[in-house]
Amino acid sequence: MNKKMLALTIAASLSLLGCDKAPKPAVDTGEKINLQAIYSVTQSDINKIAENLVVNYRVVTNIPTDKCDGKVADGACFEVELTFTAKQAIAAKDWTIHFSQIAPIQSFESDDFSVKHLNGDLHLISLKDTFSGFAPGEQKTLNFRAMFWSLAESDVMPNYIVSAPGLEARVIESTKPYIDKESGLEVLPHVETFTDTNTQFKRSAADKTQWLTSEKLYQRNAVLVEDKLAVIQAIIPTPTSVSIDANAGFVDISHGIAVSLGNVKHTEVDAAISRLAELGVKQSAKGLPLRLSIVSNNDKIIGSYSLAVTDKEITIVGVDGNGVFNGLQSLASLVTVGESRLPMLAVDDEPHFAFRGMLVDVARNFHSKDFILKLLDQMAAYKLNKLHLHLGDDEGWRLEIPSLPELTDIGAKRCFDITEDNCLMPQLGAGADENSSVSGYYSVSDYQEILQAATARHIQVIPSLDMPGHSRSSIKAMTARYKKFMALEDEAKAKQFLLEDFDDKTNYSSVQFYGDNTINACLESSYDFVIEVMTQVKKIHADAGQPLTRYHIGADETAGAWLESPACKAFVADNDKGVTKMSELGAYFIERVAGILSELDIETAGWSDGMEHTRKENMPAIVQANAWDALFWGGHDKVHQLANRDWQVVISSPDVLYFDFPHEADPKEHGYYWASRHTNTEKVFQFMPDNLPVHAEFWLDRQDNAYVADDTKTPLAPGQKFLGIQGQLWSENVRTDDMVEHKVFPRLLALAERAWHQADWAVPYNYKGAKYSSQSNTFTAELKAMRDNQWQLFANTLGHKEFAKLDLAQIDYRLPTVGAIIKAGKLHANIAFPGLTIEYQVNGGNWLNYQEPIAVSGEISIRSRSTNGLRASRITQVK
């Protein structure tokens, strides 16, 4: 880089740092720019600030004031008091703080600080001229207002970064998260605990959400009754039919099992047999005979099987290898860890949905290969068969593409690099270290290991590298590639895969508040990039033995992008492409990428909001659309529209299938909540995916108010069905593998139940169309009683049988908080999953096991403990 370019880069960098004293870049004097001559702060000062500045973040109120911008976000606005306390004197000036704040800041007041939004969630705090330093123990305050609401402590991002030009940035120690040793949960030390229901816990005066206290939880859990005999016979997910002879009893498997493969290939069942061994059911020549076979049956769905357990043998007959594998997993479901008997019964079973999926977002924050391998084990255990792996988004690109190393050299890392020539800026509170666990990628060999593990478990991996929106990581990586080859004076190679028009002056904002995250739909190099990436991904899959037959485009677009792009103005002026206005460019991009995929013999999948704008005649014959519109906003309409196109619709409703949402309504419950404040395992169990509008009869909107679902406008065409359902784990604020497991489990088991088994209490879809509300009563009291009885069995099965298996697999499933009341001086406690241990503490003393109501006095805390005793739940207090 020549000196003039260096000066320009430094000037641009200083501008992004918010430095008013940035030198002007007009001269190339040949002189070295001495940043320390301009800025008084030293590296020692930066280190001292990072060590000694104590940050405290307090949500003051979610009630908008006249200082809020009423024209934005329907006027929704919350206020924060951000305080800084110096443990030692800080005299230095000319330093700034970069921090992540999901909702952009609208206005602020401070005698010492200014704050502004940069891009995405990244914000900058700079010092005013009136800033005079910190005396020891002095506190300074910055009050600000931001869009929407802040209803959970996990909204706040960690790792505030203090920096100055020319010096090494440091993360402020008081904002670093840590892991609680007992619960394994992440703790943000700079976030002040919520205390007020009306100003902190609720969105508005119309918000009827109830803070889930231990007393309310006790009342909810009180309906559960233990039934250990039914648990022993239970299989999750529930089979189509189970026959049990009341006089049959149990068969002893203390000597293990003697497996006879018959006409089944060992590669088709090895993973399931290995799981049986991990649960204590070993192979032995002296064991109970286990006979496997495949008998084709065109009347049965792929993956169907029959299972019979007698006192003489176990037989599993599948319609294919997948069916035998599923039969083995049902056998494993009958196993109770630590016991050497199985109930004698006969099972005939087939899946309800062909597509039974789970999405994991590894793009926003990276999650390890080991975690994905563990997840595949558990997906297979509960008969889920599609892993939607979200590998590319604004904040990260997670798959090695050998021909485009910049994608992972730059796009897979977040660190403090204003130029973004070496990494992406630390969005989502990533911190300054490019080697932190939130950065990373799967090498070709890593990804192929995942593919091979999935194949062995009859799971299809559907990769997703989101485009044209949500593409900042790839855009910045390809821009870095451009700079590299331009420096080598190879302009053709520099522009080969360029994804942005440098002359585009469009001012836009994505849903996540980026102004530079959308691939330019008018550049041929954008499509060359897609071809190159997909050709590489297809080869990686083929070499791993799992052909790439379906790819998820994402199909997210950004409203307002490209409007001032000269490339797009010229493109639209040329009518040869059938695009006559800017608003058609997003659909054109998706249609063209779908065509590219078809030429590569790959089926197209995408999210409903982008896919709905495409012209059916320009799309392939087979299209998968993931429908993610909230039900309480009439989301069933769009789902039905897409299904009526004869597209393969995968239900992904956020009301119930977004596992990044909180399990319960409590500010300490982790997660976003834009569609639901409480999505616990029971709610997932209650889902009727074949009949979306009927949920208006018994579910509420995001403020716990009743809503109406009118299905007379766009009913499903007669006989139209959905392809399946998919759970989603988005990772914006999920930074560790353990936290992913806490979010996904045990909800994944209820997802599997609804994906595999059609409940007999589910209301059939009315193809004539109907209107549903809390008054319509299509879901009768009798059906509700059936559902609730089956939930009791499901909850007991998890607590008494399945959690022990998750513990053996080292899955950090969410342990439920405990319901409790003090009645007549005695502690009464219960739990959502009977079988788990309840512990209580009096006045901060030792933790004691709760067995039955016991006399207590003073301050009472309560929690649950895992079956292996290694983890505890979040602690709550009994009022």
Side-chain angles (χ1 to χ4, degrees):
M1 183 182 291
N2 63 38
K3 292 175 182 176
K4 185 172 183 180
M5 289 182 68
L6 176 62
L8 285 166
T9 300
I10 292 174
S13 300
L14 296 176
S15 177
L16 283 170
L17 279 163
C19 300
D20 296 331
K21 299 177 183 177
K24 296 180 180 180
V27 290
D28 178 11
T29 63
E31 297 178 3
K32 183 178 180 180
I33 297 175
N34 185 352
L35 294 173
Q36 292 309 302
I38 304 171
Y39 298 98
S40 61
V41 64
T42 67
Q43 188 65 56
S44 176
D45 292 326
I46 295 296
N47 297 344
K48 182 179 178 182
I49 293 166
E51 292 168 5
N52 293 294
L53 194 61
V54 178
V55 179
N56 187 76
Y57 186 109
R58 181 174 72 90
V59 174
V60 176
T61 182
N62 284 295
I63 300 171
T65 69
D66 57 1
K67 294 181 180 179
C68 295
D69 185 347
K71 299 177 182 178
V72 178
D74 295 327
C77 168
F78 66 96
E79 183 174 343
V80 169
E81 181 187 68
L82 193 59
T83 59
F84 304 89
T85 305
K87 291 188 287 186
Q88 298 179 12
I90 297 174
K93 299 183 180 182
D94 298 327
W95 47 270
T96 59
I97 294 174
H98 284 72
F99 72 107
S100 288
Q101 165 73 32
I102 295 300
I105 292 173
Q106 295 180 342
S107 61
F108 69 92
E109 296 88 35
S110 175
D111 294 333
D112 299 280
F113 308 109
S114 295
V115 61
K116 68 177 180 178
H117 173 242
L118 298 177
N119 196 22
D121 60 68
L122 205 58
H123 287 70
L124 178 76
I125 295 173
S126 54
L127 308 180
K128 288 185 173 181
D129 291 340
T130 53
F131 176 78
S132 57
F134 283 90
E138 184 181 1
Q139 182 180 97
K140 295 180 183 294
T141 301
L142 168 66
N143 282 81
F144 67 78
R145 279 147 297 281
M147 293 167 58
F148 303 116
W149 313 269
S150 186
L151 307 176
E153 293 171 18
S154 62
D155 286 350
V156 186
M157 290 291 173
N159 296 321
Y160 289 28
I161 298 171
V162 59
S163 67
L167 302 177
E168 190 170 344
R170 293 280 189 262
V171 172
I172 297 175
E173 293 289 335
S174 64
T175 66
K176 290 182 177 179
Y178 67 89
I179 304 300
D180 179 80
K181 293 180 181 179
E182 287 278 9
S183 67
L185 298 178
E186 183 185 69
V187 179
L188 301 174
H190 63 301
V191 181
E192 192 165 308
T193 296
F194 283 37
T195 58
D196 189 270
T197 299
N198 294 321
T199 60
Q200 293 178 312
F201 178 70
K202 293 193 175 186
R203 277 186 172 91
S204 67
D207 193 339
K208 295 181 181 177
T209 309
Q210 296 294 305
W211 197 320
L212 186 67
T213 63
S214 57
E215 180 181 5
K216 290 186 176 73
L217 186 53
Y218 180 83
Q219 293 166 356
R220 192 174 79 189
N221 291 340
V223 299
L224 293 169
V225 178
E226 291 197 67
D227 187 346
K228 294 183 180 180
L229 178 60
V231 164
I232 292 170
Q233 299 166 341
I235 294 172
I236 293 177
T238 303
T240 306
S241 70
V242 180
S243 302
I244 302 174
D245 186 337
N247 299 317
F250 299 87
V251 61
D252 178 49
I253 55 167
S254 57
H255 296 295
I257 52 176
V259 179
S260 174
L261 290 173
N263 62 344
V264 179
K265 296 177 181 178
H266 71 87
T267 54
E268 295 184 304
V269 294
D270 278 354
I273 292 172
S274 295
R275 180 168 183 256
L276 281 166
E278 290 164 4
L279 298 180
V281 184
K282 309 287 187 181
Q283 290 194 65
S284 168
K286 296 180 180 179
L288 184 69
L290 170 57
R291 306 189 192 282
L292 310 178
S293 63
I294 296 173
V295 177
S296 298
N297 186 340
N298 293 332
D299 294 330
K300 291 282 190 178
I301 302 171
I302 292 172
S304 302
Y305 69 93
S306 62
L307 163 68
V309 181
T310 71
D311 57 348
K312 299 290 191 296
E313 65 179 9
I314 303 169
T315 59
I316 296 174
V317 180
V319 300
D320 52 14
N322 189 4
V324 177
F325 183 91
N326 289 332
L328 286 165
Q329 297 291 14
S330 287
L331 181 64
S333 193
L334 290 171
V335 172
T336 299
V337 174
E339 295 192 12
S340 57
R341 62 176 186 167
L342 292 174
M344 289 188 282
L345 44 68
V347 172
D348 189 47
D349 200 9
E350 64 180 2
H352 177 50
F353 287 122
F355 190 110
R356 307 179 299 280
M358 183 68 216
L359 174 146
V360 179
D361 168 15
V362 299
R364 269 59 174 271
N365 285 307
F366 185 63
H367 302 298
S368 71
K369 177 188 70 177
D370 290 341
F371 160 73
I372 297 295
L373 294 176
K374 283 204 302 180
L375 177 66
L376 287 168
D377 272 338
Q378 298 311 313
M379 288 177 62
Y382 300 102
K383 305 184 181 73
L384 296 174
N385 66 346
K386 309 288 182 182
L387 174 61
H388 180 170
L389 206 50
H390 189 72
L391 293 161
D393 212 293
D394 294 323
E395 297 82 12
W397 180 283
R398 308 303 184 185
L399 178 60
E400 180 187 11
I401 304 296
S403 63
L404 298 173
E406 297 84 4
L407 286 169
T408 44
D409 288 348
I410 295 158
K413 299 182 297 186
R414 297 207 292 275
C415 69
F416 195 78
D417 174 16
I418 297 293
T419 67
E420 296 190 301
D421 287 335
N422 301 299
C423 63
L424 303 177
M425 279 293 280
Q427 304 279 346
L428 301 176
D433 181 7
E434 68 178 41
N435 296 311
S436 79
S437 62
V438 302
S439 293
Y441 66 93
Y442 305 121
S443 67
V444 169
S445 60
D446 288 337
Y447 187 63
Q448 288 180 332
E449 185 178 346
I450 289 169
L451 291 173
Q452 289 161 353
T455 300
R457 289 155 181 79
H458 302 273
I459 294 171
Q460 179 185 11
V461 176
I462 301 174
S464 173
L465 298 157
D466 216 337
M467 57 182 77
H470 290 268
S471 295
R472 191 174 189 274
S473 59
S474 55
I475 293 169
K476 295 304 174 185
M478 291 302 95
T479 299
R481 182 182 185 275
Y482 168 86
K483 291 178 182 178
K484 179 177 73 174
F485 284 109
M486 286 298 287
L488 296 173
E489 299 183 348
D490 189 342
E491 185 175 1
K493 203 162 187 177
K495 293 182 177 180
Q496 185 180 8
F497 301 120
L498 196 61
L499 302 177
E500 62 177 323
D501 175 3
F502 294 135
D503 294 322
D504 185 358
K505 305 302 181 185
T506 308
N507 183 17
Y508 68 89
S509 179
S510 73
V511 175
Q512 280 79 29
F513 311 107
Y514 289 100
D516 57 353
N517 78 333
T518 306
I519 293 173
N520 192 294
C522 309
L523 299 177
E524 283 303 305
S525 53
S526 295
Y527 302 101
D528 292 338
F529 171 81
V530 173
I531 293 169
E532 178 66 19
V533 168
M534 294 316 304
T535 301
Q536 294 279 319
V537 176
K538 182 177 180 179
K539 183 180 186 303
I540 293 169
H541 271 251
D543 291 347
Q546 185 178 113
L548 180 63
T549 58
R550 184 165 293 193
Y551 170 76
H552 201 284
I553 299 173
D556 290 296
E557 55 188 275
T558 304
W562 315 310
L563 294 178
E564 298 302 324
S565 163
C568 284
K569 288 180 179 180
F571 185 88
V572 172
D574 178 4
N575 290 323
D576 289 348
K577 305 293 186 182
V579 177
T580 59
K581 51 187 176 181
M582 291 287 191
S583 59
E584 296 171 348
L585 285 171
Y588 169 79
F589 180 91
I590 296 165
E591 291 166 5
R592 185 161 172 187
V593 171
I596 291 170
L597 294 176
S598 293
E599 291 174 3
L600 292 169
D601 199 25
I602 301 169
E603 295 168 348
T604 293
W607 295 105
S608 53
D609 55 329
M611 303 291 275
E612 70 173 331
H613 300 302
T614 62
R615 294 159 289 188
K616 183 183 177 183
E617 63 271 18
N618 290 348
M619 294 294 284
I622 297 175
V623 175
Q624 174 190 315
N626 286 78
W628 66 277
D629 296 79
L631 300 181
F632 60 85
W633 280 329
H636 63 276
D637 274 337
K638 187 177 293 183
V639 177
H640 296 171
Q641 289 172 17
L642 296 173
N644 290 343
R645 289 189 182 191
D646 292 324
W647 283 1
Q648 296 181 351
V649 171
V650 175
I651 303 301
S652 308
S653 304
D655 319 51
V656 61
L657 295 175
Y658 272 35
F659 296 165
D660 48 303
F661 287 0
H663 288 265
E664 304 289 0
D666 186 315
K668 288 196 176 296
E669 285 288 329
H670 193 282
Y672 288 170
Y673 42 78
W674 59 265
S676 176
R677 293 286 294 279
H678 41 89
T679 305
N680 59 27
T681 307
E682 183 177 5
K683 184 175 183 181
V684 182
F685 181 88
Q686 292 177 351
F687 191 37
M688 302 182 203
D690 299 282
N691 189 343
L692 299 179
V694 77
H695 296 90
E697 292 197 347
F698 54 91
W699 283 354
L700 304 171
D701 68 11
R702 66 179 181 179
Q703 296 192 95
D704 275 9
N705 289 299
Y707 68 95
V708 176
D710 186 352
D711 192 34
T712 61
K713 301 173 185 176
T714 317
L716 279 172
Q720 193 67 261
K721 302 286 187 183
F722 304 133
L723 179 65
I725 65 173
Q726 177 177 279
Q728 280 69 224
L729 189 283
W730 300 107
S731 288
E732 286 96 331
N733 62 0
V734 185
R735 287 172 281 271
T736 68
D737 290 353
D738 288 347
M739 202 68 208
V740 182
E741 293 172 6
H742 175 88
K743 305 289 286 182
V744 170
F745 295 92
R747 291 187 278 204
L748 179 137
L749 279 70
L751 167 70
E753 178 75 7
R754 293 285 67 85
W756 182 271
H757 178 68
Q758 185 173 29
D760 51 6
W761 42 261
V763 178
Y765 181 72
N766 182 353
Y767 286 95
K768 295 180 180 179
K771 185 177 287 189
Y772 301 92
S773 71
S774 58
Q775 308 301 314
S776 53
N777 200 36
T778 309
F779 186 59
T780 64
E782 181 183 6
L783 293 174
K784 181 180 183 298
M786 291 171 62
R787 181 197 70 187
D788 293 348
N789 286 337
Q790 289 183 26
W791 163 249
Q792 287 195 42
L793 173 59
F794 190 88
N796 271 276
T797 303
L798 264 58
H800 284 291
K801 196 163 67 170
E802 297 308 304
F803 285 159
K805 298 171 187 175
L806 294 180
D807 281 329
L808 280 176
Q810 298 183 323
I811 297 293
D812 282 5
Y813 57 92
R814 178 188 181 269
L815 287 161
T817 50
V818 176
I821 58 171
I822 306 294
K823 184 178 178 182
K826 287 188 174 183
L827 172 66
H828 296 250
N830 58 22
I831 199 162
F833 301 109
L836 288 174
T837 300
I838 297 174
E839 297 179 337
Y840 69 100
Q841 181 189 58
V842 180
N843 294 324
N846 293 330
W847 286 97
L848 306 171
N849 280 359
Y850 174 86
Q851 302 289 343
E852 58 186 13
I854 186 169
V856 293
S857 62
E859 294 183 2
I860 309 300
S861 300
I862 199 149
R863 69 185 185 185
S864 64
R865 184 162 286 280
S866 60
T867 61
N868 62 8
L870 298 180
R871 293 186 304 117
S873 74
R874 182 169 59 81
I875 298 168
T876 55
Q877 278 65 51
V878 186
K879 302 297 184 181

